[in-house]
């Protein structure tokens, strides 16, 4: 069952006595907590039955005590425990003592009048621990790990459909590109588009271009793309635009250097027979960035990419040593790369 299906079940009032929210996608964590809170506490007085404890500061026993307490003027008690580091392999010094036997005892017979939510903002837990095994067995696990590309596409389509909005293919693809398939950013931008198109119920390519901001990384990705396409006019214009926005040449060069480092790494790993998923895992880079890099380097040789990378490294060194006019030096570099002969192949 997907996280969206689980959340829909919760919104219908079908609640489990214990939840484990596991994963690092902050927006999904918040959405899960909100869905549980709204389903569990529906009356004005119910807020008095909501308890949130940070286990960095309070012992686990306090949380179990709250879960075993009788609701005050309400049907349910909601207890949210955050940062349960004792579920991981992380060794911490200081902080409260956590008696996991208390939680093990509670899991055997959780109260019908309480909803216990444990929020674990970690990539993984220590599966060797008894408490982790038992918690995963007894609790409803809500996986809030970063969504993959397909799941993010589906989320965006469903969110726009639920709002009754029509969006063209080009506009939809641009929305995904500008948000970098980042769930949190995408969620925020969709909310903005829904408000903007409340009357027309239609989102155009122009709307997305106007409302969804390009990040610095996106602009510099475009700059690198223009340079590889030998379009010196667009390259220089975008560089000037970035300067007008207050960006420094040395910062632009540094991000471009990072971009071409990724291109080199991806080209090498693709040549070695690695898949997109393997490359993303090996480099610890978002799969969408790897996908874009694979498309970009397909027709470029390793030697050509190395030549550009070396030029950016040399430029970075000279800028940091203040031996050149940074703006002029970067403009000359743009012209050099834009006019360089493209070497195709391996």
């Amino acid at each position: 069952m997907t996280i969206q299906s689980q959340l829909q079940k919760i919104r219908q009032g079908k609640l489990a006595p214990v939840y484990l929210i596991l994963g690092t996608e902050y927006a999904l964590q918040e959405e899960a907590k909100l869905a549980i809170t709204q389903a569990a506490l529906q009356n004005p007085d119910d807020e008095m039955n909501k308890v949130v404890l940070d286990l960095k500061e309070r012992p686990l026993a306090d949380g179990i005590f709250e879960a075993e307490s009788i609701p005050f003027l309400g049907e349910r008690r909601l207890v949210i425990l955050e940062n349960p580091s004792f579920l991981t392999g992380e060794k911490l010094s200081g902080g409260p003592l956590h008696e996991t036997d208390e939680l093990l005892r509670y899991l055997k017979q959780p109260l019908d009048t309480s909803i216990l939510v444990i929020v674990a903002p970690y990539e993984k837990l220590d599966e060797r621990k008894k408490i982790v095994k038992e918690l995963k067995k007894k609790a409803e696990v809500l996986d809030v790990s970063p969504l993959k590309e397909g799941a993010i596409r589906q989320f965006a389509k469903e969110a726009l459909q639920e709002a009754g909005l029509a969006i063209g293919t080009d506009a939809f693809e641009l929305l995904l590109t500008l948000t970098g398939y980042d769930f949190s950013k995408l969620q925020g931008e969709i909310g903005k588009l829904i408000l903007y198109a409340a009357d027309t119920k239609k989102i155009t390519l122009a709307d997305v271009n106007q409302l969804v901001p390009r990040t610095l990384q996106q602009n510099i990705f475009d700059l690198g793309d223009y340079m590889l396409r030998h379009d010196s006019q667009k390259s220089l214009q975008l560089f000037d635009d970035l300067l007008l926005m207050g960006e420094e040449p040395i910062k632009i060069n540094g991000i471009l250097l990072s971009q071409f480092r990724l291109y080199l790494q991806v080209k090498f790993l693709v040549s070695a027979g690695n898949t997109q998923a393997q490359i993303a895992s090996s480099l610890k880079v978002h799969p969408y960035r790897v996908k874009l890099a694979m498309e970009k380097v397909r027709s470029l040789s390793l030697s050509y990419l190395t030549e550009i990378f070396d030029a950016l490294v040399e430029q970075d060194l000279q800028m940091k040593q203040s031996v050149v006019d940074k703006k002029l030096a970067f403009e000359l570099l743009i012209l050099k790369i834009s006019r360089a002969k493209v070497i195709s192949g391996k």
Side-chain angles (χ1 to χ4, degrees):
M1 186 181 291
T2 66
I3 179 62
Q4 294 301 336
S5 298
Q6 288 176 297
L7 294 179
Q8 184 61 31
K9 181 180 174 182
I10 290 169
R11 292 183 183 113
Q12 292 170 354
K14 300 173 183 176
L15 290 163
V18 182
Y19 287 96
L20 171 63
I21 301 177
L22 174 61
T24 58
E25 182 61 73
Y26 177 76
L28 277 177
Q29 289 173 26
E30 293 302 302
E31 189 175 349
K33 286 193 289 184
L34 179 61
I36 295 171
T37 300
Q38 290 178 338
L41 308 177
Q42 297 183 346
N43 298 318
D45 293 334
D46 280 345
E47 274 300 314
M48 300 184 68
N49 284 312
K50 180 180 178 180
V51 178
V52 181
L53 298 182
D54 186 344
L55 296 181
K56 288 181 179 179
E57 302 173 356
R58 301 280 293 276
L60 177 60
D62 286 1
I64 303 304
F65 173 80
E66 295 290 351
E68 292 180 329
S69 298
I70 303 296
F72 181 75
L73 298 178
E75 294 183 6
R76 292 193 187 95
R77 194 164 176 79
L78 175 64
V79 180
I80 301 176
L81 306 182
E82 300 184 331
N83 300 309
S85 58
F86 59 86
L87 297 176
T88 72
E90 186 179 0
K91 293 182 179 179
L92 301 174
S93 58
L97 178 66
H98 299 301
E99 297 289 349
T100 57
D101 286 346
E102 289 289 303
L103 179 54
L104 286 169
R105 177 183 58 78
Y106 184 82
L107 289 173
K108 288 180 180 178
Q109 195 170 2
L111 266 65
D112 294 336
T113 54
S114 288
I115 305 294
L116 177 63
V117 181
I118 299 175
V119 185
Y122 315 115
E123 289 185 2
K124 60 182 180 179
L125 304 181
D126 189 341
E127 301 290 342
R128 299 168 299 177
K129 293 184 176 182
K130 180 180 178 181
I131 185 60
V132 171
K133 294 176 182 177
E134 201 64 19
L135 187 57
K136 284 194 168 184
K137 188 187 300 182
K138 297 292 180 65
E140 175 85 6
V141 180
L142 303 180
D143 185 354
V144 293
S145 302
L147 297 177
K148 293 182 179 178
E149 182 179 328
I152 288 178
R153 278 181 168 274
Q154 190 61 31
F155 161 78
K157 286 180 181 178
E158 290 177 359
L160 292 167
Q161 285 172 357
E162 286 176 10
L165 300 186
I167 184 170
T169 301
D170 289 346
F172 185 71
E173 292 300 325
L174 180 61
L175 172 63
L176 293 172
T177 298
L178 292 180
T179 55
Y181 282 82
D182 181 293
F183 179 81
S184 298
K185 289 180 183 176
L186 182 61
Q187 191 178 45
E189 295 304 327
I190 286 177
K192 188 194 300 180
L193 290 169
I194 288 173
L195 289 174
Y196 178 80
D199 295 330
T200 63
K201 296 298 181 182
K202 184 178 179 181
I203 299 170
T204 66
L205 185 64
D207 295 335
V208 176
N209 263 316
Q210 177 185 345
L211 296 171
V212 182
R214 276 176 162 76
T215 63
L216 176 59
Q217 283 73 17
Q218 181 65 44
N219 277 320
I220 293 179
F221 176 87
D222 291 343
L223 175 59
D225 187 43
Y226 293 148
M227 291 162 70
L228 287 175
R229 284 197 268 154
H230 304 281
D231 193 332
S232 57
Q233 182 176 353
K234 285 188 177 179
S235 299
L236 291 168
Q237 181 60 60
L238 182 50
F239 176 59
D240 283 342
D241 290 344
L242 290 170
L243 294 181
L244 288 172
M245 285 187 268
E247 302 298 342
E248 294 291 333
I250 192 168
K251 183 178 180 181
I252 297 170
N253 191 87
I255 296 175
L256 201 58
L257 178 59
S258 174
Q259 180 178 319
F260 275 88
R261 180 184 294 111
L262 177 63
Y263 287 170
L264 266 178
Q265 292 170 325
V266 168
K267 183 69 177 181
F268 178 79
L269 291 171
V270 167
S271 300
N274 290 273
T275 65
Q276 178 182 324
Q278 289 171 328
I279 295 172
S281 176
S282 176
L283 298 179
K284 292 181 171 43
V285 171
H286 194 287
Y288 178 66
R289 288 189 63 204
V290 173
K291 176 186 176 183
L292 291 180
M294 289 175 71
E295 292 171 354
K296 193 63 60 184
V297 304
R298 186 175 293 120
S299 62
L300 303 174
S301 71
L302 194 61
S303 59
Y304 176 67
L305 290 168
T306 301
E307 181 183 346
I308 296 176
F309 180 75
D310 288 345
L312 288 165
V313 170
E314 180 63 26
Q315 177 93 308
D316 184 67
L317 181 63
Q318 291 182 1
M319 284 181 169
K320 287 177 179 175
Q321 292 177 340
S322 299
V323 296
V324 293
D325 179 309
K326 296 179 178 61
K327 180 177 181 296
L328 177 60
F330 197 87
E331 288 172 339
L332 291 173
L333 180 67
I334 286 175
L335 293 173
K336 177 182 176 181
I337 294 176
S338 297
R339 294 171 181 174
K341 181 180 179 182
V342 178
I343 307 171
S344 301
K346 298 182 179 180

